[in-house]
Amino acid sequence: MPLFGNPLEAAAHRLSILPPMLDYFGVMGLHALIAGMRLGLFDALRGGPATAADLARSLGLDPHATDVLLRGLAGLGYLRARRGRYRLTRTARVWLTSDSPACLAEGLYFWERTACVIWPQLERTVRDGSPVTSLYALTESEPELSRSFQAWTAAVAGRQAPAIAAAIPVPAGATRMLDVGGGHALYSVELLRRHPGLRSTVIDLPEALASAAAHPRLTLRAGSFLDEDLGGGYDVILLFNVMHCLDDQEVVTLLARLAKALNPGGTIAIGDQFGDSLMPGRASRTLLHLLHLNYLVAGGGRIRDYKEMARLLREAGFTRPRHRRPLRSPATELAIAKAPRFVPTR
């Protein structure tokens, strides 16, 4: 489906299609999208409109099947059709063409693995509460899966990193930043761009760092942030898309360690999704619930409310927690707090 809007809902209402059937067609839509990307249809349309016959000829495809697929992709909102010629929509040009910085093509393997192999075992997770797999252990053992996962998360991060970086209050004179579980490192790179006196260390598992962006003031450190010494003397700490992967005790322990690692007056910025999200509307809430299920089935994680996150920050000694949702950051909200006045004993 396009990332904004759902053309199938209006069609389903007009045709009196039952909601379960609509979800079934949604699965078909995912596979139509993946096929269109792998066959090169979106890249072939970068130069301008073309007919189904032209595309089939240039890509070596069956003309009739190509025409049917193009009609489906147009119905899903990825293409526009006029007088038998197809062209890209803005959504397709931004997210589905290989020359776009936000291209999601490299994430297809991860999408297929999650949707077609892991998610069909959701029933088991709901029965006993255990995840189907540990996603991060899985990506460390499968480099191709890790590359695919990092590629699509980087595509999203690249679009929202400027807004995220602008919303993080970096202390005056800050020189050291720690990016915990930073993987692709794009949030660090954007903050380094905005703050020339800052240097950043990204700590993550080896396969996650294999796709990290490069920057002269960026240091990559392979290891588990749950076990290894994190060091200290940091002015800024980033913690993006990490909290939903951890259980309650891991969160408490990690925040306590980060409190010790942050300089007085420093900033901790947690980027994640929150259950009491500021996002309006039924569709947004539904996406959040499905994402929560995804974290459960693919790793045993969960989405926490911002109120819970603020409480955990205070208990670790951090002060003045704030909730921010940058306007150009639809996938990530922020919990921002200041360094503790004292390090609590436990």
Side-chain angles (χ1 to χ4, degrees), residues 105-299:
E106 293 298 321
L108 293 183
Y109 181 65
F110 174 79
W111 285 11
E112 281 191 311
R113 182 70 166 272
T114 303
C116 303
V117 178
I118 297 176
W119 259 75
Q121 301 180 67
L122 174 62
E123 180 183 347
R124 194 193 83 186
T125 295
V126 175
R127 285 187 183 278
D128 62 20
S130 64
V132 172
T133 184
S134 169
L135 177 62
Y136 294 97
L138 191 63
T139 54
E140 277 303 295
S141 65
E142 297 187 29
E144 183 182 358
L145 185 65
S146 180
R147 283 193 298 271
S148 181
F149 173 70
Q150 291 296 327
W152 88 265
T153 55
V156 175
R159 295 281 291 183
Q160 63 183 18
I164 290 286
I168 296 175
V170 174
T175 60
R176 297 186 67 210
M177 178 166 64
L178 177 66
D179 191 345
V180 179
H184 48 65
L186 292 180
Y187 294 113
S188 271
V189 168
E190 184 62 29
L191 279 162
L192 294 178
R193 186 188 67 80
R194 295 176 64 90
H195 303 278
L198 200 59
R199 304 185 72 86
S200 182
T201 297
V202 179
I203 181 170
D204 210 334
L205 297 173
E207 286 298 335
L209 293 178
S211 303
H215 192 281
R217 288 182 280 118
L218 182 71
T219 299
L220 304 180
R221 180 180 163 195
S224 170
F225 55 78
L226 292 176
D227 304 316
E228 296 198 9
D229 181 16
L230 300 176
Y234 299 106
D235 301 298
V236 181
I237 292 178
L238 305 182
L239 203 65
F240 276 69
N241 297 306
V242 169
M243 289 304 197
H244 65 247
C245 307
L246 307 181
D247 63 33
D248 291 344
Q249 187 54 55
E250 287 173 332
V251 168
V252 169
T253 301
L254 180 59
L255 286 179
R257 295 172 64 212
L258 295 178
K260 296 178 181 179
L262 195 59
N263 285 333
T267 297
I268 184 171
I270 297 173
D272 220 311
Q273 299 83 43
F274 300 123
D276 50 356
S277 172
L278 301 175
M279 293 189 296
R282 177 184 173 188
S284 296
R285 298 294 300 174
T286 300
L287 288 174
L288 196 63
H289 296 325
L290 291 173
L291 192 57
H292 197 160
L293 275 177
N294 191 55
Y295 293 154
L296 278 170
V297 73

